[in-house]
Amino acid sequence: MADGSGWQPPRPCEAYRAEWKLCRSARHFLHHYYVHGERPACEQWQRDLASCRDWEERRNAEAQQSLCESERARVRAARKHILVWAPRQSPPPDWHLPLPQEKDE
Amino acid sequence: MAGAPDERRRGPAAGEQLQQQHVSCQVFPERLAQGNPQQGFFSSFFTSNQKCQLRLLKTLETSRSHDLEAVVPQNGAVNKDRHFSCEDCNGNVSGGFDASTSQIVLCQNNIHNQAHMNRVVTHELIHAFDHCRAHVDWFTNIRHLACSEVRAANLSGDCSLVNEIFRLHFGLKQHHQTCVRDRATLSILAVRNISKEVAKKAVDEVFESCFNDHEPFGRIPHNKTYARYAHRDFENRDRYYSNI
């Protein structure tokens, strides 16, 4: 975690509010049920919004820690799948090369 | 894809299957133009290649693929003239990604409206994104191909509830996953001469991992709101990773 003097919430508080609002919407319920077969869980966005506001107003260290842990858990959850392929360090070298001369126009 | 240059247009590395209800119009596209008043003027004055180019331009300017464009190669841009090609295709394939030339092929004879173009471009850009960020063995590793097809079916809107209803595939609870498995299998069969069982097995093996890989969106972009939020997260990424 970065030291407190330069730290700010990973997302603006408005972003947490927007994600919470989207999560609670009827349309998102439908999308989530269609994909996962269960209702979405939105409580964490609400907790993160509260932590973000707490930090903005009072610079509460517990709020900062709670927010960091929550976001790290999200990153872990997004990356926990086993990769099928090996990642690249840079795009393929031929991505921007001109097309072969044999191509008919 | 076989890799031989003269077969490039016949066997792209990864392809997309056309919606089933337009079977009769896949072979005779002029019949579709007659029955669609919205496209009457459009179809009268433009060739299929011109229509393809115009639809592609509109997609790249306004669609959720706009966000993919920004992230496909991490340090460069997708160039419309270099990385896209409108061509006539055999069968009912809508498009494909040709890894040997780093080019997305759009089947101008099989894409008949703007919404379809949006979906095809997004689908193929996901293949291009995978090609740029990982060592994907398109030609000899069926699991790599299956993984990219699962991701493309999952993230492009191919399997939205509305699209599935139009295909007369009715289902709600977790139906999205059924659709993704089926369409990924169909896409593999469109570009590989293998049995349905082998294709399905490859999809099953990689599904758990690849279905949950939502890069570069970070979520399934069901509509413009989700795509906008994904783009916002992408633009905020430096702040995000330096503060967690």
Side-chain angles (χ1 to χ4, degrees):
Chain A
M1 194 187 313
D3 87 79
S5 60
W7 189 85
Q8 58 175 337
R11 311 175 204 239
C13 294
E14 177 51 36
Y16 289 109
R17 199 187 85 82
E19 294 286 359
W20 184 43
K21 192 174 165 198
L22 176 67
C23 186
R24 288 184 306 151
S25 68
R27 187 154 282 207
H28 180 70
F29 182 98
L30 180 64
H31 284 308
H32 198 272
Y33 190 77
Y34 179 63
V35 174
H36 299 290
E38 59 186 24
R39 62 184 302 142
C42 305
E43 296 78 17
Q44 192 57 45
W45 288 117
Q46 186 181 22
R47 284 193 281 269
D48 290 344
L49 175 60
S51 296
C52 187
R53 284 177 173 160
D54 205 10
W55 167 263
E56 290 289 339
E57 289 162 13
R58 300 193 291 129
R59 290 295 188 267
N60 184 335
E62 280 179 13
Q64 175 185 358
Q65 183 156 3
S66 166
L67 211 41
C68 281
E69 280 172 10
S70 171
E71 292 291 5
R72 283 199 286 256
R74 281 201 183 98
V75 170
R76 277 196 301 272
R79 290 179 183 172
K80 72 176 180 184
H81 53 267
I82 300 166
L83 287 180
V84 170
W85 42 51
R88 284 183 186 268
Q89 300 305 316
S90 58
D94 58 351
W95 176 257
H96 285 295
L97 288 182
L99 288 163
Q101 291 299 321
E102 299 85 9
K103 180 181 178 346
D104 292 333
E105 288 299 342
Chain B
M1 192 183 106
D6 59 347
E7 287 179 33
R8 186 158 62 90
R9 296 293 177 257
R10 301 294 175 263
E16 165 169 317
Q17 203 71 8
L18 190 62
Q19 293 186 18
Q20 295 301 312
Q21 73 273 17
H22 288 150
V23 169
S24 63
C25 302
Q26 296 162 16
V27 181
F28 306 107
E30 63 270 16
R31 290 187 189 172
L32 182 64
Q34 286 168 10
N36 191 334
Q38 200 174 9
Q39 295 183 331
F41 176 87
F42 198 44
S43 60
S44 304
F45 290 90
F46 296 99
T47 64
S48 66
N49 184 270
Q50 287 167 328
K51 280 185 273 184
C52 180
Q53 298 286 356
L54 287 169
R55 286 183 177 128
L56 172 61
L57 198 58
K58 186 150 188 237
T59 293
L60 294 178
E61 286 171 355
T62 61
S63 170
R64 75 186 74 169
S65 72
H66 178 67
D67 308 315
L68 260 179
E69 243 195 306
V71 306
V72 167
Q74 289 90 329
N75 62 348
V78 171
N79 182 290
K80 174 181 161 296
D81 297 317
R82 165 60 181 87
H83 296 115
F84 290 91
S85 176
C86 287
E87 302 172 10
D88 286 327
C89 303
N90 291 336
N92 60 354
V93 177
S94 306
F97 175 66
D98 187 342
S100 66
T101 56
S102 300
Q103 198 174 46
I104 288 170
V105 176
L106 301 170
C107 299
Q108 60 198 17
N109 57 325
N110 288 333
I111 299 174
H112 298 299
N113 60 62
Q114 187 63 52
H116 192 194
M117 174 63 83
N118 292 348
R119 265 200 306 113
V120 174
V121 169
T122 305
H123 181 113
E124 304 306 334
L125 275 174
I126 288 166
H127 292 317
F129 175 77
D130 288 339
H131 183 66
C132 284
R133 65 153 176 165
H135 292 280
V136 181
D137 186 355
W138 297 102
F139 308 120
T140 59
N141 192 325
I142 196 76
R143 294 173 78 249
H144 285 195
L145 177 61
C147 186
S148 196
E149 291 296 356
V150 165
R151 280 177 28 80
N154 185 22
L155 301 172
S156 65
D158 281 348
C159 285
S160 71
L161 183 58
V162 167
N163 281 335
E164 277 289 272
I165 289 173
F166 281 148
R167 295 182 191 116
L168 304 181
H169 298 156
F170 299 108
L172 184 60
K173 182 175 179 177
Q174 221 169 359
H175 179 75
H176 178 85
Q177 295 188 30
T178 306
C179 171
V180 168
R181 285 181 193 269
D182 291 345
R183 290 192 70 79
T185 306
L186 284 173
S187 290
I188 293 170
L189 292 173
V191 296
R192 289 288 177 274
N193 188 16
I194 56 176
S195 71
K196 191 172 176 185
E197 287 70 34
V198 170
K200 196 168 173 307
K201 182 167 176 285
V203 168
D204 288 342
E205 283 175 4
V206 303
F207 189 83
E208 183 65 30
S209 172
C210 303
F211 183 78
N212 291 304
D213 179 0
H214 298 155
E215 292 301 311
F217 298 105
R219 67 184 82 206
I220 298 174
H222 299 289
N223 59 35
K224 284 185 181 139
T225 301
Y226 292 86
R228 198 168 66 244
Y229 283 21
H231 189 69
R232 180 201 61 197
D233 291 346
F234 174 72
E235 296 202 311
N236 188 53
R237 64 196 184 284
D238 290 339
R239 169 176 170 170
Y240 184 80
Y241 286 107
S242 63
N243 286 292
I244 61 171

